[in-house]
Amino acid sequence: MWYDLRMKYRIPKEVEIVSSGLRKAGFEAYLVGGCVRDLIIGKEPKDWDITTNATPEQIQGIFTDSFYENDYGTVGVKTGSLDARLAIIEVTPYRTESAYSDKRRPDTVTFGASLLEDLARRDFTINAIALDDAQGHLIDPYEGQKDIKDKLVRAVGNASLRLNEDALRMLRAVRFVAELDFGIDGGTAEAISKNSEHLRHVSRERVRDELVRILNSDKPMNALVLAQQLGILKFISPDLPRGIGVEQNQAHSYNVFEHNLRSLQHAADKGWSLDIRLAALFHDVSKPETRCWSETKKEWSFHGHEVVGSRVTKKALEDLRFPRETIERATKLVRWHMFFSDPEQITLSAVRRMITNVGEEHIWDLLNLRICDRVGTGRPKEQPFRFRKYKAMVEQALRDPISVKMLKTNGEHIMKTFHVNPGPKIGWTLNALLEEILDDSARNTREYLDKRTEELLEMPEDALMNLGEAGKQRREVAEDEEIRQIMEKHHVC
Ligand code: ATP
Ligand code: MG
């Protein structure tokens, strides 16, 4: 049934200008793929694709501000929009694809097909719907709308054949499960299980891009469990399924595999960065090979799993061609995730050493990873008192101490400018100045401090000494106050 959808879906004017431009020049034009799927779901489309019977040259003839630099006929039309999603509208001629002998790329791409032929070459029914934005109706030969309603990813046509053409589609299926919170249709799932081996032929970069999208989605855990059930997780990384069935001690409700996944899911629930998500997924990856039974303790130990695990993580991420910086950050987090954090037993200098190990810029990520780790054990409380106290200690270790170094002057400057010899007078002066700027930070300027220095130096020595001592005491009070504020912030007063 055709019905008018123009009222229902808001199509941006940039998109309409391009599609109506094609039509005015005598061609067909339809919105297609992810944007139509997202419009029907009620999600904001990430980008907008138009398909047409015009050739790349004809498209470029209509839109002079455009570019064409690929083998698939896609012309990027620049719209001048400031919105990144609308700045370039991709226009692709209808096409068909011939055999895929390498299981990843069509041997030839042929233009000049019909809309229906073009929809037939697409991966899943939910992505094979076209929207005629002039008439306001959908062309949906594979019942994609029904699958959207049923929340199902289903291959267009014969699932086995389609997944065989391009093995990446298996991972795309799992990615849509993660991003849309859909399931996979039974026949398609079966075809994935049967054809999983073909994922070996897919470039690691393409696998990585799908993994990143899975990890950055709201539901990475479900999708990776499904990937495991379908037998494709090992092609993302053979190290991940090694934790399956590896049981742990009382403190853990889950085996190593499930614990890693639950830790990852918590990072996603919190909206934390890809670095933390990667580290959470891999943090206990080497527990299987480091596991030892202790007869005396009557429990498992996993000595050094974080050291081995950081090496394994590095290799796995290198294999997936992650950027060097991402690998460094994620492996560092894995390497140091076992840090000792009992504030009753730890000194501030041990906390400082920890910060030096992992790097000041990563310390908060490491603490967040600890939260994921804790939640991933199945223990209910997320941030117990002692952990908050440890956080307060980290903040205390990170803050600059209150000292005369904060002043916009220094001993050398004073000696030179005011012709004073080295001696206690310099220290008294600096401490007296510090007291003043602690009361009013606006006074911390060269001009003001020079003026005050001149006055202080003219004072009798014992009076200056008293002011200096008072300054020192005032500094201690201010230090205590800052620390108290940190404790209060973390609710550990
Ligand atoms: P999103 O934009 O959210 O990533 P999408 O579905 O638009 O999702 P794209 O990679 O942008 O995904 O591809 C656009 C459309 O091209 C898809 O909706 C699908 O119809 C088709 N497509 C993309 N990749 C493939 C593939 N490997 N095999 C078959 N069709 C594909
Ligand atoms: Mg898209």
Side-chain angles (χ1 to χ4, degrees), residues 32-35 37-38 43 46-47 49 97 100 121-124 126-128 162 166 168-169 172 175-176 179 206 213:
V32 74
C35 64
R37 177 197 68 219
D38 290 344
K43 248 177 84 170
K46 209 164 65 39
D47 43 38
D49 295 315
E97 291 163 359
Y100 287 64
R121 69 152 177 100
R122 293 177 182 268
D123 50 4
F124 302 110
I126 57 173
N127 292 340
R162 304 311 312 286
D166 178 2
L168 184 78
R169 289 173 188 159
R172 281 176 58 88
R175 186 250 285 185
F176 290 122
E179 287 187 335
R206 290 178 85 196
R213 293 193 61 166

Side-chain angles (χ1 to χ4, degrees), residues 220-457:
M221 178 168 83
N222 290 352
L224 292 180
V225 167
L226 184 61
Q228 163 57 20
Q229 288 164 349
L230 296 173
I232 60 176
L233 185 66
K234 58 177 178 287
F235 298 106
I236 298 178
S237 171
D239 288 307
L240 294 175
R242 289 193 299 116
I244 293 173
V246 179
E247 295 303 330
Q248 317 195 59
N249 296 322
Q250 288 286 310
H252 283 263
S253 310
Y254 308 112
N255 68 44
V256 170
F257 177 65
E258 190 169 349
H259 167 63
N260 279 339
L261 288 183
R262 284 179 182 269
S263 305
L264 159 67
Q265 186 56 48
H266 189 68
D269 292 344
K270 289 284 178 185
W272 285 336
S273 69
L274 180 65
D275 295 342
I276 300 180
R277 294 178 196 218
L278 278 169
L281 176 63
F282 278 94
H283 78 284
D284 279 350
V285 73
S286 290
K287 272 191 166 175
E289 65 268 38
T290 52
R291 191 170 77 146
C292 265
W293 180 256
S294 158
E295 258 316 314
T296 42
K297 287 191 189 162
K298 298 270 182 261
E299 60 176 26
W300 295 107
S301 75
F302 302 91
H303 282 305
H305 74 272
E306 72 278 23
V307 181
V308 184
S310 68
R311 275 188 237 130
V312 169
T313 305
K314 182 163 185 276
K315 276 201 158 157
L317 299 185
E318 277 171 358
D319 178 60
L320 283 161
R321 314 284 191 271
F322 271 93
R324 196 170 46 81
E325 300 74 28
T326 308
I327 299 177
E328 244 166 53
R329 290 192 297 262
T331 50
K332 258 202 177 141
L333 294 176
V334 174
R335 170 65 185 84
W336 298 108
H337 82 267
M338 291 298 288
F339 67 97
F340 185 67
S341 64
D342 185 345
E344 310 303 335
Q345 295 185 48
I346 205 169
T347 59
L348 208 52
S349 60
V351 176
R352 287 206 182 90
R353 270 199 303 282
M354 187 61 240
I355 296 173
T356 313
N357 284 339
V358 72
E360 202 174 314
E361 65 279 32
H362 305 134
I363 185 67
W364 297 111
D365 281 357
L366 186 70
L367 294 186
N368 285 342
L369 177 61
R370 169 60 57 87
I371 295 171
C372 298
D373 194 354
R374 195 189 296 277
V375 174
T377 60
R379 289 186 205 161
K381 210 166 176 195
E382 191 191 310
Q383 283 208 26
F385 180 77
R386 280 202 279 188
F387 184 63
R388 291 205 308 273
K389 207 159 173 187
Y390 185 84
K391 274 174 103 169
M393 285 180 87
V394 169
E395 206 162 304
Q396 210 178 316
L398 283 176
R399 72 176 248 288
D400 291 325
I402 294 176
S403 84
V404 291
K405 289 205 182 100
M406 293 159 62
L407 292 170
K408 293 261 165 27
T409 183
N410 57 53
E412 206 179 322
H413 170 76
I414 293 176
M415 289 190 284
K416 250 203 210 147
T417 317
F418 302 100
H419 311 289
V420 198
N421 292 326
K425 276 181 89 168
I426 309 287
W428 296 332
T429 307
L430 289 170
N431 277 304
L433 292 173
L434 182 63
E435 175 164 24
E436 291 197 25
I437 70 132
L438 285 176
D439 285 333
D440 181 2
S441 59
R443 292 178 177 175
N444 195 6
T445 64
R446 246 310 149 79
E447 289 88 342
Y448 178 81
L449 295 177
D450 277 355
K451 187 171 109 334
R452 275 300 288 150
T453 302
E454 198 169 8
E455 290 165 12
L456 289 166
L457 288 171

Side-chain angles (χ1 to χ4, degrees), residues 155-216:
V156 168
N158 180 312
S160 234
L161 285 178
R162 304 311 312 286
L163 298 174
N164 239 310
E165 287 169 357
D166 178 2
L168 184 78
R169 289 173 188 159
M170 300 189 244
L171 264 186
R172 281 176 58 88
V174 171
R175 186 250 285 185
F176 290 122
V177 164
E179 287 187 335
L180 306 173
D181 197 11
F182 276 28
I184 297 190
D185 148 74
T188 304
E190 205 176 303
I192 294 177
S193 296
K194 276 200 197 128
N195 291 284
S196 60
E197 289 290 322
H198 297 316
L199 264 171
R200 281 187 208 291
H201 304 289
V202 175
S203 81
R204 299 304 283 161
E205 286 83 354
R206 290 178 85 196
V207 173
R208 177 206 55 215
D209 289 346
E210 295 301 324
L211 172 63
V212 167
R213 293 193 61 166
I214 291 170
L215 294 182
N216 280 336

